[in-house]
């Protein structure tokens, strides 16, 4: 059922028939061409009409794929060639133009389909806005209803606004999951909070539900990588699988103009890249998403989109180093 | 009921207590301050998540009001001071973040409320995207169910895509109204069509339903103003009230960068201004809207927003000249 | 030989298997998929390092194809569905990174290949800068050495700078052809010249070689369409085949920011569209190109690229109306 | 005295020693290099801190000179080579950083110096904002106190705001001159007014002082060139010398983003160019200025600055045709 | 007297009647609504025509207020809710259009009025350019003529250019105060200097007057926060009250495009935020200003304005932590 | 011979006759005005049509000179006045419009001319793209054929793509020099590599030829300055002269939008400035270049160009501190 909604993009890279690809757009293959289970499955959830503010994050999956061409498969820092790791692109979940709930349901079903049918693959969803995370996690829970899911969230915001008021908008996914008994508040760790971007009632909710809030300042003081390690270790001792969600607005506004909600005082790109390398290394992380990147707001040199691809490749590098 | 959803904007102009306003932001008054029935009632319908493509047209009502400050109330071309005509701002219809149908319902109810309670006022809705027009016309029909409504549409597009496929999106309002038996196809006249921006099946639908399509080329050949006059005269001989809807994408892309769907080959601003003066002059026009202007795409000198305000003032000037 | 250099683009539209395409990106087919001779063959000549000033016109063939998605195949002004006319995309001529002469040679050979092998098809080259026109015309001459070629040039410039000084740069193509005895000066008509954009020695050269210079002002005074008709009729009485070259810098800078050499005082888009409809109608026109459009300089709403596609579709419409 | 304030710009074009210049930057010579009286003297008045709104029009004289390089001296429309006409650049009037009145005084004195010492030259001031016009006209009156001066103003605005309230700001020059008895209201003709950009009290002032207001609409109806001719003829029958002031905000905002006060509904560039050719032709016009062009607001292709240079060259062409 | 020049802005936030505000625009109240002495008084000094280069810093007070809506009152890093601290907005000092000295006098008088009438409130001036600091400090001296004032300046520049040459422009405030015997050079500490942005004669002046210059490099080497602490402690041992002036051009150009004089090599936003938290904590700091932020130069995501608001909130947080 | 191709720029700063310059544009003198051997000779190599991607780096030498005006000669961090050090501007190498090889030959000959005739001066070439480095190094080798040359390269890329495939393009200079036996691979040290921007075969080439690759991550871990010192010491023990080439794309994309190939994860400006101070200090460094900065892609506040000038001044400061 969920499979039905996964469609190939409007256009495709023309792949050369060479022995070994050296660029990312030649390395990633369509899922339908895969002969065996890929190591990682990509899929797009191109919806942003569920955003509180105007957002073009629905355009990111396409721009993400378009930007692959600028990246080689070789990671020089770690001396790792990514081509040994297989990545398959399942395409995008088909969205409805005006029925947001239906679109969300399709993301959930598509995720359930993928995690059920490719149990050994890491899944990576490319948003879309942050409302998609609630759908994806529900899809995983649908497939593995006996398992406990923990969430590591990199975000400037708690995302616990009230869906009763807003519906399943991009400010609500964590609360949807807690109130919907999909995930427990104590199994959610948020790293990246800072400044003046979460209203008091939201913090009260987070405290009440024991969401662990690690401000960026605290994380920097104790070492960002150490914080990631500690958080993942702690979560993995309590849950069966870990879902990592990367709201790109965790980045500082000066390096991420193409994220509508990015703010001053956020992460640097180097910090984010190091975090993702570490996250990729952790074996209990099974699912990841990257959300809220709006290419229509990016600078003309596309720095935010490039940063998005780089961040994703860091996670992939971590996967390889893990083994 | 509809009244409940009309809320004052987040901010207001501080009005000086002077004898006679000379600028638009001092001339327009909040509806709740009105002592008698105003000549024209403004209200905003700030929704654009119903757009097929990413749109920030929901931001227009606020930017429209902000831009008033750059306009004097005196029209030098016609030697008319607008202050003799009273314009009241009813505020914006409160939108729901994710429930598009609910938001649409509120626009319909708010419109019904206004046209029922201010039967002698011209209503002017500021969109939002073009989906709002279907709501507004349904609201009028709700209030005057015995009356026949005709539509004069200035648009590059027919807006007859199938709501069965898209839901009530911005490409569908005319079809919603025809299929919903609110307006007859033969009571719709579209002026401004040109080029390659309406797929064949849409033209087939329009022909089948006898929508009158006047291309911009035809209109220019026979005189744009004469075309407007003829169209309004023809409609007024057949219907009880005329609703004019101005999709700002009827303008050429070079003068309207802030309209996502504007195209090369469209109207010039002078043409649009002349049309609106003429439309304002016509007594059977009771309702008008301006839709699809997205301030977040505008050039840094805000030319599209300024053009939007100018166009609206031309309509107001026409109203005054009519009497 | 020339065939070797024609390569499919890096990416392709995924074509749905539907009965009848309604959008341009589904209508144009790769040449290698063509079963019979197409009516028109497209090919890209993505070179702009031959430009005197910095230019990204080499990026246009890709952006041209990408923009097809925004255009329906139905021309509402003329009530013509383009799908009855077959357009095949031969891909791009492969350019060398630093050997400009070699790249030019390949454009010439690829053109010769196409005109020889598809003698009944209209060819349409998408530049690249204006240096490519000299290559294409030489390629045609190579294939039809006994025929006389006439050129109708829409341009703000004469393009008769001295290749002895600059090499085969974008300011020289007409002079290359005249000095190289490929085309006679008296068989060249330039429409669109205006203002202060051709130095005196260039005008002297043009006069000496009897290039017909029709300023935009003259053309407007006598009717732009009549000027086009007269020019084509005159040329067709003297030559065997007509090559039309459209330097997009003939457009006014306010409608064509994405053409580095566009100037104030140029053509409007409506004028250009009317010209191309007329040109398309003329049976002796066998070849056309569109050059010098630099997408990297375009406004964020891509108005110049959209205008480029629209102009090309007008030519196609003319082709159909001709029959 | 006024000479003291005229300083060469910070940088200069390096002039080749060639027989005959073919580009504008090689044709215009520094005034101090002139052997005989030039036909036209240019000088810059780089002040815009006297503007009501934020303006960078003080940057225009430098950008005006920088842009000369893109213009050949040959006018193809009129087949005139400008090099026969001598243009000398007197440099910029030195402005004080904070003493606006002192800066204005220097513009007045520098103008008086130039018109006294070069009585046979046409003077052309490059603003700066419109406050500079009052200074220049006062300077001319200082030098020729017995002569009557008429003003032809191309402007969207009347510029008769009250200096008692604003000081000598850019909205006041015409009123400064009338209230200061330098120019009579009946000797001022304003062409280009339109829309909603002059408050009622200003129109009352203009009517009271018999300023002739010709709206753009009226001018277009009766022919813009005929309007210019009629206006100049009428003025020349009443005054001794005519000062023409071109506020670049007379242009439509879509062609002049780099003029802070430009509006929708203004002149096209073609209209302005035709007007200036006609104005140049008129023998009683002795002085001209171009004001309010702010290069810091221009689009990245510098369309407004290029339009400013083109407009000025049209005036020069007219000068030559006059003889 | 000074009170007369303090006017409410042209528009105001519409405040909901809720128990407790959670966003900054609902928390800050107009001064005239205050029942008791507020903890901090804000006032705008919207002048930038006193800037040496073109500046739109006069637009900042309005944009500063507009941007409040994006900030919650809760500081998550310090777990402090700002609502316990009362901030009152006194509005803007009314500026004259052309009389810079008069405008400056009004800023001085308005400051004197506020510090005299609200002796227990911290004052916070929002510029405007840096010329306003000299006015504000003179106003404080006027009110407290027996007190010694020290200045902590965060700036890339010394601001000791000679007012004899420039008048009271934005490059001169510190020199105005020293030469005018309002503040002693030895009571001025400048942190943030770096690179090549102060000419030798200015450094000579600073040395001669014993201004303490701490380059950013030195501050980083010894710890930026420690530098701030040491500087404030040292000043507080010598003066009666400390005025802190934050020239936003102390920030690096890559994070502060909307500050005309920002340069490479400047402070990061994190550094500035930490400094302001520390400054807010210091009890002897009574006055602060933020100057030179020009919203018209900001990037389209308004990163500089957002940084300006954030910086101010850090100071407020510091105030609260102090107690 | 090489001298012939060195031409003064199209425009020049007008130098005041003052005792001591305080700004960079008054300090740098044209080489032809030099009485004695200058300490450093600047020359421009304005070519970028040799770039693989579209690049306007050919515009940098002019913008570099234009930006001097914003920089004082005094370095406050080091308390050094640069005026004691003489810098002469030799102008730009004249480029051919289409013959890339000829242009490259001229850069080589001009470099040979300068290093031969000014053996005691440091040479500093301003590119242009990175292809120019190969030319410059060949020119030095031509002049000093018995000397061994080492290269310190700050770059995100190895620049060892195959000239057999691309010709002498900007991705090939290091390989040109190694394959051409001008420089040995083991005498090349590259600092700044990171991420996914060098394909596997290029790394294989580098390893085979013993190019020393120091990733940015490694350099940061061991201290960037220490890495520079160690690298220069190591090179100076093995070679006779060191050529430093600074590809500005070594900078992070968020601080260098005006470098087409800049990427996320690159150097900060502070890091680059510190490196260049250190490099300037090293006596065996005789030659330096700055390449690949494209002003046409820069942000509107010109941050990349300003960073380019700052970086160069840091090198000059280092030169002075060295002595
Ligand atoms: Ca977030
Ligand atoms: Ca989020
Ligand atoms: Ca439309
Ligand atoms: Ca529509
Ligand atoms: Ca051309
Ligand atoms: Ca051309
Ligand atoms: Ca004006
Ligand atoms: Ca004016
Ligand atoms: Ca400063
Ligand atoms: Ca300062
Ligand atoms: Ca590189
Ligand atoms: Ca390189």
């Amino acid at each position: 059922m969920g499979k039905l909604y996964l469609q190939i993009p409007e256009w495709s890279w023309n792949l050369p028939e060479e022995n070994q690809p050296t660029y990312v757009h030649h390395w990633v293959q369509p899922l339908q061409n895969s002969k065996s289970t890929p190591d990682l499955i990509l899929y797009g959830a191109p919806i942003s009409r569920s955003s509180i503010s105007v957002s073009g994050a629905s355009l990111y999956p396409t721009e993400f794929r378009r930007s692959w061409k600028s990246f080689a498969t070789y990671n020089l820092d770690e001396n790792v060639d990514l081509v040994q790791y297989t990545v398959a692109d399942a395409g995008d979940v088909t969205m409805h133009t005006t029925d947001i709930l239906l679109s969300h349901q399709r993301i959930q079903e598509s995720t359930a389909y993928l995690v059920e049918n490719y149990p050994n693959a890491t899944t990576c969803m490319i948003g879309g806005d942050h409302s998609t995370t609630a759908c994806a996690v529900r899809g995983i829970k649908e497939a593995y209803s006996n398992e406990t899911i923990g969430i590591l969230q990199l975000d400037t915001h708690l995302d616990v606004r009230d869906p009763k008021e807003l519906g399943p908008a991009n400010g609500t996914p964590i609360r949807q999951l807690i109130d919907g008994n999909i995930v427990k508040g104590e199994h959610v760790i948020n790293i990246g909070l800072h400044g003046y971007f979460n209203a008091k009632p939201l913090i009260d909710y987070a405290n009440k539900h024991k969401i662990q809030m690690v401000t960026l300042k605290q994380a920097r003081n104790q070492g960002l990588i150490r914080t990631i390690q500690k958080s993942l270790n702690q979560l993995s001792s309590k849950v069966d699988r870990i879902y990592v969600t990367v709201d790109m607005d965790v980045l500082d506004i000066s390096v991420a103009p193409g994220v509508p909600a990015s703010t001053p005082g956020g992460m640097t790109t180097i910090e984010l890249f190091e975090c993702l390398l570490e996250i990729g290394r952790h074996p209990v992380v099974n699912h990841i998403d990257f959300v809220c990147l709006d290419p229509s707001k990016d600078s003309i040199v596309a720095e935010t989109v490039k940063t998005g691809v780089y961040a994703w490749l860091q996670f992939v590098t971590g996967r390889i180093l893990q083994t």
Side-chain angles (χ1 to χ4, degrees), chain A:
Chain A
M1 184 61 189
K3 187 181 187 178
L4 288 174
Y5 301 121
L6 285 164
Q7 292 201 330
I8 58 163
E10 284 186 320
W11 58 271
S12 305
W13 291 107
N14 291 323
L15 306 181
E17 304 188 21
E18 51 173 310
N19 300 342
Q20 175 92 321
T22 56
Y23 280 87
V24 171
H25 64 310
H26 291 158
W27 159 53
V28 178
Q29 299 287 332
L31 179 58
Q32 72 263 34
N33 298 4
S34 288
K35 286 152 206 161
S36 55
T37 292
D39 294 316
L40 183 144
I41 296 178
L42 274 179
Y43 63 113
I47 187 167
S48 52
R49 64 187 76 239
S50 32
S51 293
I52 298 172
S53 309
V54 175
S55 166
S58 56
L59 307 168
Y60 183 50
T62 293
E63 294 306 317
F64 173 75
R65 291 180 181 103
R66 175 133 55 223
S67 192
W68 290 346
K69 193 189 151 191
S70 310
F71 290 82
T73 56
Y74 198 84
N75 179 321
L76 197 56
D77 291 310
E78 309 297 331
N79 277 320
V80 163
D81 195 341
L82 308 178
V83 294
Q84 60 189 280
Y85 189 82
T86 55
V87 174
D89 183 355
D92 287 341
V93 183
T94 312
M95 298 286 96
H96 189 272
T97 306
T98 49
D99 191 336
I100 291 173
L101 272 58
L102 180 60
S103 296
H104 281 163
Q105 183 61 30
R106 289 177 181 173
I107 296 170
Q108 178 174 336
E109 289 179 28
S110 299
T111 305
Y113 164 78
L114 289 173
V115 298
E116 249 172 325
N117 287 275
Y118 300 90
N120 297 321
T122 301
T123 64
C124 175
M125 182 176 71
I126 304 297
D129 67 39
H130 221 157
S131 70
T132 60
T133 297
C135 311
V137 175
R138 278 193 300 261
I140 295 165
K141 188 72 180 180
E142 188 182 316
Y144 299 98
S145 54
N146 295 328
E147 296 195 11
T148 316
I149 303 172
I151 293 180
L152 176 65
Q153 179 185 11
L154 304 188
D155 203 329
T156 289
H157 308 93
L158 286 163
D159 289 349
V160 294
R161 292 189 61 177
D162 194 349
K164 287 203 208 77
E165 183 196 342
L166 306 174
N170 69 333
T172 67
I174 299 303
R175 183 147 177 186
Q176 285 183 51
L177 293 171
I178 293 172
D179 292 359
N181 295 315
I182 307 297
V183 170
K184 288 187 180 165
E186 64 204 88
H187 295 160
V188 176
I189 303 182
N190 187 318
I191 301 175
L193 300 159
H194 68 278
Y196 307 86
F197 307 109
N198 291 278
K200 185 62 168 35
L202 306 181
I203 292 160
D204 294 343
Y205 177 93
N207 279 321
K208 183 176 152 202
H209 289 270
K210 302 193 182 129
I211 294 172
Q212 295 179 58
M213 297 178 273
V214 188
T215 65
L216 191 49
K217 198 170 178 176
Q218 290 167 333
R220 281 169 174 156
N221 284 344
Q222 68 192 44
L224 194 47
I225 297 312
R226 253 193 76 226
T227 305
I228 294 286
Q229 288 168 336
K230 244 180 69 183
S231 301
L232 289 174
N233 289 338
Q234 186 199 321
L235 276 182
S236 62
S237 71
K238 297 199 275 183
V239 302
D240 299 310
R241 54 178 72 218
I242 296 177
Y243 188 103
V244 177
T245 179
V246 182
D247 187 334
M248 294 296 286
D249 74 16
V250 77
L251 286 169
D252 193 86
I253 193 169
S254 69
V255 300
V259 190
S262 68
T263 60
M267 266 191 201
T268 67
T269 48
I270 292 291
E271 287 174 336
L272 181 63
F273 296 161
E274 292 297 313
C275 287
L276 280 159
L277 190 67
E278 194 57 37
I279 290 168
R281 271 186 173 126
H282 206 286
V284 187
V285 171
N286 310 85
H287 315 286
I288 193 166
D289 67 35
F290 294 86
V291 299
C292 290
L293 199 162
D294 176 356
S296 73
K297 298 285 190 315
D298 209 355
S299 68
I300 50 162
V301 295
E303 70 192 271
T304 319
V305 171
K306 284 175 186 162
T307 295
V309 176
Y310 198 127
W312 168 66
L313 292 175
Q314 289 291 97
F315 174 75
V316 173
T317 301
R319 293 273 96 174
I320 295 172
L321 294 179
Q322 159 200 333
T323 51

